[in-house]
Amino acid sequence: MKILYLLFAVFLLLFQATSGSADPLFPDTVECRSQGKFCRVGVCPPTFAATGTCHGGLLHCCSK
């Protein structure tokens, strides 16, 4: 029975939420969104142009 208390404590530590852990901040993503642009996987929509990258170069930063 004592091991159940230990496992419960380990699970609490493993799944503990910390501030900012849900959305890692990449410098290029912050710069893109601060200029009113948006990030997108793949190519930008037809009326938008790719002006940079987001999430460390994995996504495209799209603007009008």
Side-chain angles (χ1 to χ4, degrees):
M1 281 308 248
K2 289 183 180 181
I3 195 161
L4 291 177
Y5 293 114
L6 180 63
L7 285 175
F8 183 68
V10 169
F11 282 128
L12 281 177
L13 290 174
L14 286 176
F15 299 113
Q16 178 180 342
T18 58
S19 63
S21 65
D23 187 21
L25 296 176
F26 292 96
D28 55 352
T29 304
V30 172
E31 182 181 347
C32 179
R33 291 188 179 171
S34 68
Q35 296 173 358
K37 303 172 186 176
F38 63 95
C39 300
R40 181 165 177 156
V41 177
V43 297
C44 296
T47 59
F48 294 88
T51 58
T53 61
C54 296
H55 290 284
L58 297 175
L59 305 176
H60 296 284
C61 180
C62 302
S63 69
K64 279 268 185 190

